[in-house]
Amino acid sequence: MKLWYAIASPFARKVMILAHEAGIAAQIEIVDTATSPLKTDASLLPHNPLGKIPTLLLEDGHVLFDSRVICEYLDSIHDGEKLFPQSGMDRYNALVTQSIGDGIMDAAVLTRYEKAMRPENKQWQEWIDGQMAKIITALDTLEMWRGAKLPEMHIGSISVAAALGYLELRYPDFDWRKDRPVLTQMYATFSKRTSMIETDPNKG
Ligand SMILES: N[C@@H](CCC(=O)N[C@@H](CS)C(=O)NCC(=O)O)C(=O)O
């Protein structure tokens, strides 16, 4: 399998965290990809019309995207403990937690594009503030309502770990740990796992 990937992409990292946790990371060939809304990677576009990473090419030629679809597929091809709970409210709670983690990543990536790519005199501060407000309310919701299940390993906590890692990388001045002991503890514990260490964007 071939994965279009960038070490700084939180969505791509989410996929590789899951692959490590599932014990199948070695089956994935990484294609380092530089893609952005301004310049799409030429090798990627024929496979993904959205030009986004992560994108996964299977041995039989099928192509999968986005991170949710890829994660669900990878979880279906290993024999270990499943990372998507199979049924009932456990499953839907994990999926909603995934949606919150993904939502934090969406807001953080879009804000990063706004700040890093758009000319300074065209940047829209109210829009940036609106995205940051989403990140804050999402973190507060995780802290208050989802704490009990967060320390467990499932697709929801994987997505949240990838999101927190991205905040660390791109928003070093944003103190997301303040008044959030549950998330702080969860991230500290997750960060010691091989899946997080191997996918750490600061890894040399
Ligand atoms: N919903 C998608 C989001 C993927 C995404 O936004 N990836 C970014 C990199 S972090 C990207 O490829 N951006 C290029 C673009 O927007 O054209 C997923 O879960 O995979």
Side-chain angles (χ1 to χ4, degrees):
M1 292 178 281
K2 203 164 139 177
L3 182 70
W4 281 267
Y5 177 90
I7 196 157
S9 162
F11 294 101
R13 186 180 189 193
K14 174 186 154 194
V15 164
M16 284 310 293
I17 295 170
L18 182 133
H20 279 283
E21 293 294 340
I24 55 174
Q27 295 177 35
I28 298 175
E29 178 197 341
I30 297 288
V31 183
D32 282 315
T33 310
T35 197
S36 81
L38 299 188
K39 194 170 187 317
T40 303
D41 181 282
S43 75
L44 174 58
L45 204 52
H47 300 286
N48 180 344
L50 304 172
K52 293 192 179 193
I53 53 171
T55 296
L56 185 72
L57 177 64
L58 305 184
E59 301 299 336
D60 65 5
H62 280 98
V63 179
L64 304 180
F65 51 88
D66 56 9
S67 66
R68 295 176 195 219
V69 177
I70 297 172
C71 284
E72 189 142 10
Y73 171 76
L74 293 179
D75 201 35
S76 76
I77 61 167
H78 71 97
D79 296 328
E81 187 104 355
K82 294 296 176 189
L83 297 158
F84 281 72
Q86 300 294 288
S87 61
M89 282 321 290
D90 270 358
R91 174 171 173 79
Y92 291 103
N93 280 324
L95 292 178
V96 171
T97 304
Q98 172 180 225
S99 297
I100 297 174
D102 286 6
I104 293 172
M105 294 192 270
D106 275 330
V109 168
L110 290 176
T111 302
R112 164 85 185 160
Y113 287 153
E114 178 78 8
K115 287 181 169 176
M117 292 187 160
R118 195 182 281 253
E120 214 169 327
N121 64 341
K122 293 196 176 134
Q123 289 177 18
W124 188 6
Q125 191 56 47
E126 287 93 328
W127 186 90
I128 293 173
D129 293 345
Q131 298 299 325
M132 289 310 291
K134 286 184 199 298
I135 293 172
I136 289 166
T137 49
L139 291 171
D140 288 341
T141 298
L142 290 169
E143 180 74 21
M144 285 185 294
W145 301 110
R146 308 217 158 245
K149 293 278 181 192
L150 272 183
E152 294 171 19
M153 184 53 65
H154 52 74
I155 186 59
S157 50
I158 288 172
S159 174
V160 170
L164 295 175
Y166 189 71
L167 294 179
E168 294 273 273
L169 177 71
R170 295 298 194 207
Y171 298 82
D173 297 334
F174 172 50
D175 186 7
W176 61 264
R177 288 180 176 80
K178 189 167 183 298
D179 299 327
R180 297 191 187 100
V182 175
L183 284 176
T184 302
Q185 180 57 51
M186 175 257 178
Y187 188 68
T189 308
F190 266 58
S191 294
K192 293 186 185 122
R193 298 183 72 89
T194 304
S195 60
M196 291 291 284
I197 293 167
E198 285 297 318
T199 60
D200 183 347
N202 295 308
K203 194 175 150 222

